[in-house]
Amino acid sequence: MPRYALLILPAFNRVYGASAVRLTRAELTVFGGALEGELSGIEETTLGGVPYVTFEGSLTSHDLDLLANLSSVYAIFGMEGDLLRPLTMRPLDRLSSDLITIQKYAGKTNEHFTKLLLNVTVLASGFPLDGKLAVFDPMCGRGTTLNQALMYGYDAYGVDVDGKDFEAYSGFLKTWLKNKRLKHTAETVPVRRERALAGRRLNISFGLTKEAFKAGDVQHVSVVNADTLRGREFFKPRSFDVIVTDAPYGVQHGSKGGGGLSRSPLELIRQAVPVWAELLRPGGALGISWNTYGGSRDDLAEILTTAGLDVAGHPDFEHWVDQAIVRDILVARKR
């Protein structure tokens, strides 16, 4: 059976880097369910003093293309005795990586983890990772998840209650598209309900080339500055293939669940998940990362199940972030 080795991408975040090998092993297990070949013997192996994730499998070229999208993979090698043969990587990325990395601000979710969360959520859905998907982040902040979705060629939609975050993301994305000279349209418009201002909405469409834009081969971004509990006012039911969000940790910032500022995101999630579930297409998946100090896995699983979602049996993604945050992932699928 052919054997392969994954070289882990160096992490700028030292703490996340300490968990990267274990998280890659868990993520690779999830990817295994989407491959044509079967994986076995997934383990950490030290080669030349460097940690790798190694595994066995009869992989097709399409399998290797999918594995090139692992969140922390730097290179994929075929193992031939003591030698490593580099294999061609063809990830989904359509845009320059600085779309993900250029923004720096307090509380930003690690880019590698954002990609991992998006990957495992899509892989739990009934839709292919390399498809044309609509991704919704109902607490999108300054758009890390939205930008990763755009990298994959997906359409990206979001809601966030923080006006400063909305302005920051709007300004960043407009400037980035202009600097990259990508043909696009962009507008920020007020959204009114019964003559009252309900929020602001950023609408952007862009193409990779002028020819693509003219032909209608475009990606869409739509972000609303409003409370996530009002999501049904801005988006139609069954609009999205996957919903992916990094819930407030209750440390860097609290969560607003209708009763003021709370350190626990669970009450907000309890109120919001039924709204989000309506926006999800059948076969779609909802992936949430959260601080386990604010609520247990069983608590969150109960909320998702009550909303009519089927919780996926994923491997352990729990990892330490700092003394006040231990982060985990839970994914559920809509019937």
Side-chain angles (χ1 to χ4, degrees):
M1 183 74 71
R3 191 159 182 80
Y4 301 88
L6 303 177
L7 179 62
I8 304 302
L9 187 69
F12 294 109
N13 184 305
R14 177 186 57 81
V15 174
Y16 188 82
S19 302
V21 171
R22 180 176 61 81
L23 293 174
T24 299
R25 290 175 59 186
E27 185 183 6
L28 181 59
T29 300
V30 176
F31 265 81
L35 303 180
E36 298 171 26
E38 294 186 3
L39 304 183
S40 62
I42 299 174
E43 60 187 8
E44 179 181 347
T45 304
T46 299
L47 302 170
V50 177
Y52 290 76
V53 173
T54 58
F55 61 96
E56 294 179 350
S58 297
L59 302 183
T60 66
S61 59
H62 182 254
D63 290 340
L64 289 170
D65 289 346
L66 285 180
L67 292 181
N69 298 289
L70 283 158
S71 62
S72 291
V73 68
Y74 189 46
I76 303 176
F77 299 93
M79 300 182 69
E80 300 177 357
D82 294 331
L83 302 179
L84 298 179
R85 177 170 55 87
L87 302 177
T88 300
M89 294 178 58
R90 291 181 290 267
L92 293 173
D93 294 349
R94 291 161 52 97
L95 303 168
S96 171
S97 62
D98 61 359
L99 175 62
I100 302 292
T101 60
I102 198 170
Q103 285 182 295
K104 304 294 182 185
Y105 53 89
K108 181 182 179 182
T109 304
N110 179 280
E111 297 98 339
H112 298 176
F113 178 76
T114 298
K115 188 174 182 179
L116 185 154
L117 176 59
L118 178 60
N119 282 344
V120 299
T121 304
V122 174
L123 291 170
S125 76
F127 309 108
L129 189 70
D130 53 359
K132 176 69 171 178
L133 305 183
V135 175
F136 177 54
D137 184 346
M139 296 184 284
C140 65
R142 299 193 185 187
T144 305
T145 299
L146 305 184
N147 290 341
Q148 181 57 58
L150 295 177
M151 289 289 290
Y152 277 179
Y154 303 159
D155 292 332
Y157 303 86
V159 170
D160 201 272
V161 72
D162 191 309
K164 291 183 179 179
D165 283 350
F166 176 83
E167 292 286 354
Y169 183 62
S170 298
F172 166 74
L173 189 55
K174 291 176 182 178
T175 300
W176 188 87
L177 289 168
K178 182 179 180 181
N179 289 342
K180 296 298 179 181
R181 299 185 178 180
L182 294 178
K183 182 67 175 178
H184 67 280
T185 60
E187 63 174 0
T188 301
V189 297
V191 181
R192 299 186 181 277
R193 296 290 181 269
E194 298 179 355
R195 299 184 179 180
L197 183 64
R200 295 176 294 166
R201 186 169 199 148
L202 170 70
N203 294 313
I204 291 178
S205 297
F206 69 92
L208 295 184
T209 65
K210 292 181 179 179
E211 293 74 20
F213 185 86
K214 186 175 181 180
D217 180 11
V218 297
Q219 291 178 247
H220 301 284
V221 183
S222 183
V223 181
V224 179
N225 175 208
D227 192 324
T228 189
L229 300 180
R230 303 179 66 182
R232 280 282 283 103
E233 298 180 28
F234 308 106
F235 300 103
K236 296 179 180 179
R238 299 177 295 280
S239 292
F240 306 119
D241 301 302
V242 293
I243 297 176
V244 179
T245 198
D246 186 27
Y249 298 150
V251 179
Q252 175 66 29
H253 44 265
S255 59
K256 296 179 180 178
L261 198 63
S262 168
R263 286 186 61 82
S264 171
L266 281 188
E267 185 54 38
L268 170 63
I269 292 173
R270 192 182 307 277
Q271 296 178 50
V273 163
V275 177
W276 301 344
E278 288 188 50
L279 300 175
L280 197 58
R281 294 190 177 110
L286 167 62
I288 301 178
S289 64
W290 85 106
N291 181 9
T292 60
Y293 287 148
S296 71
R297 169 176 286 268
D298 289 342
D299 292 334
L300 186 55
E302 180 183 2
I303 292 172
L304 298 176
T305 301
T306 300
L309 304 174
D310 296 325
V311 175
H314 272 165
D316 178 19
F317 287 108
E318 185 175 287
H319 60 285
W320 190 82
V321 177
D322 64 30
Q323 61 183 1
I325 302 172
V326 174
R327 187 165 52 192
D328 202 354
I329 291 174
L330 199 61
V331 178
R333 181 167 169 171
K334 186 172 183 178
R335 304 182 188 97

